[in-house]
Amino acid sequence: NAGVTQTPKFQVLKTGQSMTLQCAQDMNHNSMYWYRQDPGMGLRLIYYSASEGTTDKGEVPNGYNVSRLNKREFSLRLESAAPSQTSVYFCASSAKETQYFGPGTRLLVL
Amino acid sequence: QKEVEQNSGPLSVPEGAIASLNCTYSDRGSQSFFWYRQYSGKSPELIMFIYSNGDKEDGRFTAQLNKASQYVSLLIRDSQPSDSATYLCAALNLGSARQLTFGSGTQLTVLP
């Protein structure tokens, strides 16, 4: 079992460029989440998907869109990247209450 | 605004000592509480969770919950240098589609 996987591991973008962060889980979990983590701050929820076919905004959704492609995959898209989106992005999945995290994507927007 | 507060530290303890990490939360609707450990440059990994008042022990770790005081703590007994990491406290409100609210974390250093 790979658990939660994320691609890419690192990415450098220029302001205004777009990109999609990919996340997949093989634990048959219904719920999936996207967080960002900035220095000195905890994890902040961007979007989540309680089940296949549903998505909802979290605490900091502006500038992002998501797609729950199927039960396994949950992608995060930045349509027009801004320097304020420089961060580490974590995907997580859960069954019941416990969330399991992927290894993260480090994004730098210049 | 639902908040989870932690002292950012750094907290330093000598090897073999007890490390005590504290967390308070503002949302009385929070029902379960989680402690995650995060090594530098890595993703959070679950240590343990607690949902009933009192203590819950798992090996060298003990989580404590006091819902009246809205207070959660994590004790690490016989601290080891490998315990040096950032510890994240999180609260779950089942009424919020199972969203976790995280504190900013406490950085722990265990000195050899």
Side-chain angles (χ1 to χ4, degrees):
Chain A
N1 272 359
V4 181
T5 58
Q6 294 183 236
T7 56
K9 288 186 171 60
F10 304 96
Q11 186 70 50
V12 179
L13 291 178
K14 294 180 180 179
T15 297
Q17 288 185 317
S18 62
M19 78 161 295
T20 299
L21 283 65
Q22 305 287 354
C23 174
Q25 52 92 10
D26 62 4
M27 296 177 282
N28 201 36
H29 289 166
N30 285 323
S31 300
M32 297 185 74
Y33 309 83
W34 276 105
Y35 293 91
R36 61 178 289 173
Q37 186 175 38
D38 301 298
M41 301 185 71
L43 294 151
R44 292 185 293 169
L45 184 64
I46 304 171
Y47 271 93
Y48 66 97
S49 171
S51 61
E52 185 180 353
T54 68
T55 61
D56 284 288
K57 296 178 180 179
E59 180 186 354
V60 289
N62 290 344
Y64 306 96
N65 284 300
V66 291
S67 295
R68 183 74 183 267
L69 304 171
N70 47 55
K71 191 171 186 178
R72 289 188 63 248
E73 299 172 289
F74 189 37
S75 63
L76 178 71
R77 183 161 179 84
L78 287 70
E79 291 291 352
S80 179
S84 61
Q85 295 178 303
T86 293
S87 190
V88 181
Y89 291 85
F90 289 103
C91 177
S93 70
S94 72
K96 298 184 180 180
E97 292 86 10
T98 302
Q99 293 188 18
Y100 300 90
F101 286 83
T105 294
R106 282 157 179 75
L107 177 65
L108 174 62
V109 183
L110 301 175
Chain B
Q1 182 79 10
K2 301 171 185 174
E3 294 184 347
V4 175
E5 301 286 342
Q6 295 181 255
N7 288 329
S8 60
L11 173 66
S12 295
V13 299
E15 184 174 356
I18 296 175
S20 177
L21 305 164
N22 304 316
C23 172
T24 59
Y25 61 95
S26 63
D27 182 10
R28 288 196 173 272
S30 298
Q31 295 168 323
S32 300
F33 302 88
F34 298 77
W35 284 100
Y36 283 84
R37 178 176 61 199
Q38 187 175 25
Y39 292 113
S40 181
K42 301 295 185 181
S43 60
E45 55 181 332
L46 181 69
I47 299 173
M48 62 190 304
F49 65 90
I50 187 168
Y51 53 84
S52 299
N53 275 329
D55 295 0
K56 179 181 179 182
E57 186 174 319
D58 184 358
R60 295 187 296 113
F61 299 95
T62 299
Q64 300 174 315
L65 173 61
N66 183 325
K67 290 187 177 180
S69 301
Q70 297 178 245
Y71 178 87
V72 191
S73 66
L74 179 71
L75 301 178
I76 307 174
R77 290 182 300 280
D78 188 23
S79 295
Q80 301 297 309
S82 59
D83 294 325
S84 298
T86 296
Y87 290 79
L88 301 170
C89 173
L92 175 71
N93 185 320
L94 293 178
S96 300
R98 300 178 183 275
Q99 291 185 45
L100 283 178
T101 300
F102 283 86
S104 58
T106 298
Q107 184 180 345
L108 172 67
T109 300
V110 180
L111 304 170

